[in-house]
């Protein structure tokens, strides 16, 4: 029995305790914990390595600023230099405009014979800018003058007849008083004098009408010479010799309505749009400093002329008119400009001329 028991025990298979399911977690636990510790150590080192420059940029050390801090200080100084002189100043953008600007057109229809202006030319008030074909207008004026002269001659003839009729009437009245003339002769003389007086009044009216007609023809003839309504500078020439000019639009045809555009440079000013939330800080007379985009180093002093009493609903702005103390040929209409509104009592720019 003992031998058989030993033989059966020798046939049994012994299993290792590590092959069981409960031993698997213990095999991977130690490597996982080790890897986690390595990752935490690496992350902490990175945080410490990155945190040093950030802390130095925010709070520079006593020994001296880092290169990054120096660049930040230079940018800060540059931004301060570009900022307005007063931290509470109001800045607005706008354009240079001319209060007196006109497109000169003809009052009659005609063909341009001669154009006497070009862009950039300075013209005076009343100067002839262009001439239209005036052959027919000249003939009409001559005809009207001839009619006026004919009416004047007819009136002179009637006046002479009336004077003769009045002398006959006076003589007939004298003879009738002495019974040397009949009543019929006296009545005939009176009637003839009355008719001639009426004809004289008619001739005078016709002469006045003829003179008015001649004057009107002369005015029409003068309108064939287009003149400047005010002194200024020609900024645009829109017609050429040989083109037809008409005061009415031709509806897409080849007839033009304008000769040129004149701008009065003495009426130059600035128009800017100011936010309606800041309009309460401005009033007529508020001093400003204007800088043209074309001349960024040129500070032009000026003052507020008026605040237009209406607001733009879409942009929530109010238009402000600004006058410039400097009148210069380099300031042109429609130029972009920036205006800095100074606080009351703030000094204006010390230099108003470009370098």
């Amino acid at each position: 029995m003992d031998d058989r028991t030993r033989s059966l025990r020798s046939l049994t298979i012994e299993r290792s305790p590590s092959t069981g399911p409960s031993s698997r977690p213990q095999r991977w636990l130690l490597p996982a914990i080790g890897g986690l510790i390595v990752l935490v150590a690496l992350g902490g080192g990175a945080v410490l390595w990155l945190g040093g420059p950030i802390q130095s940029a925010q709070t520079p050390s006593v020994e001296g600023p880092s290169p990054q801090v120096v660049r930040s200080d230079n940018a800060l100084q540059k931004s301060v230099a570009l900022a307005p002189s007063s931290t509470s100043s109001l800045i607005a953008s706008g354009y240079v405009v001319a209060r007196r600007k006109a497109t000169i057109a003809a009052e009659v229809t005609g063909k341009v014979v001669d154009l006497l202006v070009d862009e950039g030319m300075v013209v005076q008030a009343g100067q002839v800018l262009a001439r239209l074909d005036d052959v027919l207008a000249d003939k009409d004026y001559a005809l009207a003058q001839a009619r006026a002269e004919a009416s004047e001659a007819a009136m002179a003839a009637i006046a002479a007849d009336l004077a003769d009729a009045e002398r006959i009437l006076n003589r007939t009245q004298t003879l009738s008083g002495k019974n040397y003339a009949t009543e019929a002769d006296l009545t005939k003389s009176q009637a003839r004098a009355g008719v001639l007086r009426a004809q004289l009044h008619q001739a005078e009216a016709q002469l006045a009408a003829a003179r008015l007609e001649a004057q009107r023809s002369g005015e029409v003839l003068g309108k064939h010479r287009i003149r400047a309504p005010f002194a200024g500078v020609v900024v645009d020439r829109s017609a050429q010799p040989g083109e037809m000019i008409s005061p009415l639009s031709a509806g897409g045809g080849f007839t033009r309505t304008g000769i040129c555009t004149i701008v009065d440079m003495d009426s130059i000013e600035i128009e800017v749009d100011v936010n309606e939330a800041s309009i309460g800080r401005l009033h007529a007379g508020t001093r400003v400093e204007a800088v043209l985009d074309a001349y960024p180093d040129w500070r032009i002093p000026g003052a507020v002329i008026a605040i237009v009493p209406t607001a733009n609903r879409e942009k929530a702005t109010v238009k402000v008119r600004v006058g410039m103390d400097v009148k210069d040929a380099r300031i042109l209409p429609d130029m972009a400009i920036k205006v800095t509104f100074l606080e009351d009592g703030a000094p204006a720019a010390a230099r108003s001329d470009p370098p």
Side-chain angles (χ1 to χ4, degrees):
M1 183 61 69
D2 294 334
D3 295 337
R4 186 180 297 176
T5 300
R6 294 192 200 91
S7 299
L8 291 175
R9 288 180 178 176
S10 62
L11 294 176
T12 58
I13 300 174
E14 295 181 1
R15 295 182 177 179
S16 175
S18 59
T19 60
S22 59
S23 64
R24 292 179 182 177
Q26 296 178 0
R27 178 183 298 177
W28 299 100
L29 183 60
L30 292 177
I33 293 174
L36 181 60
I37 293 173
V38 171
L39 290 177
V40 170
L42 292 176
V47 169
L48 293 176
W49 182 74
L50 294 175
I54 296 175
Q55 183 178 2
S56 62
Q58 296 178 353
T59 306
S61 61
V62 178
E63 295 178 357
S66 63
Q68 296 180 357
V69 176
V70 172
R71 289 195 296 268
S72 300
D73 292 342
N74 293 335
L76 180 60
Q77 292 176 0
K78 184 177 180 181
S79 63
V80 171
L82 293 177
S85 58
S86 176
T87 57
S88 60
S89 297
L90 178 63
I91 301 177
S93 299
Y95 295 92
V96 178
V97 298
R99 297 290 296 177
R100 200 176 185 188
K101 179 179 179 181
T103 299
I104 312 303
E107 298 184 38
V108 295
T109 302
K111 182 176 68 175
V112 179
V113 176
D114 195 5
L115 193 60
L116 306 176
V117 295
D118 205 347
E119 289 88 346
M121 182 180 296
V122 179
V123 298
Q124 302 298 325
Q127 180 178 340
V128 177
L129 306 178
R131 286 195 294 265
L132 304 182
D133 186 9
D134 58 354
V135 175
L136 296 179
D138 189 35
K139 298 298 182 182
D140 292 339
Y141 179 59
L143 180 60
Q145 283 185 325
R147 287 174 179 172
E149 292 176 359
S151 298
E152 186 176 2
M155 187 190 71
I158 295 174
D161 292 341
L162 177 60
D164 183 62
E166 287 179 347
R167 285 194 301 268
I168 295 174
L169 176 60
N170 293 332
R171 186 169 59 250
T172 303
Q173 287 176 347
T174 302
L175 294 175
S176 176
K178 296 179 180 181
N179 295 325
Y180 290 111
T182 63
E183 187 69 23
D185 294 335
L186 179 60
T187 303
K188 182 180 178 180
S189 298
Q190 291 176 346
R192 185 171 182 272
V195 170
L196 290 174
R197 289 192 189 97
Q199 290 179 356
L200 181 60
H201 288 305
Q202 182 181 7
E204 290 176 351
Q206 290 177 354
L207 177 60
R211 287 176 175 174
L212 287 176
E213 183 67 23
Q215 184 179 0
R216 179 180 180 277
S217 299
E219 294 291 338
V220 173
L221 179 62
K223 293 184 183 300
H224 285 72
R225 289 172 173 81
I226 304 174
R227 302 179 182 273
F230 54 84
V233 178
V234 179
V235 297
D236 180 45
R237 190 180 73 170
S238 55
Q240 297 294 334
E243 292 183 331
M244 292 296 296
I245 298 295
S246 175
L248 302 177
S249 176
F254 297 97
T255 303
R256 294 186 179 274
T257 57
I259 293 290
C260 61
T261 302
I262 298 178
V263 174
D264 184 4
M265 290 302 180
D266 291 335
S267 66
I268 292 293
E269 63 182 35
I270 304 170
E271 286 186 359
V272 295
D273 292 331
V274 179
N275 193 312
E276 61 181 15
S278 304
I279 200 64
R281 300 167 55 183
L282 305 179
H283 58 83
T286 301
R287 300 298 300 173
V288 304
E289 286 183 358
V291 178
L292 292 165
D293 290 355
Y295 304 99
D297 297 330
W298 183 16
R299 296 186 177 273
I300 306 172
V304 175
I305 298 176
I307 299 174
V308 180
T310 184
N312 189 318
R313 183 185 301 179
E314 297 178 356
K315 298 189 295 183
T317 57
V318 178
K319 184 179 295 184
V320 178
R321 295 173 51 200
V322 178
M324 292 175 286
D325 297 342
V326 177
K327 301 295 183 181
D328 196 282
R330 289 162 291 186
I331 304 176
L332 304 178
D334 298 330
M335 273 188 168
I337 194 168
K338 291 182 178 62
V339 176
T340 301
F341 297 92
L342 305 177
E343 297 294 329
D344 292 339
R351 183 180 63 191
S352 60
D353 295 331

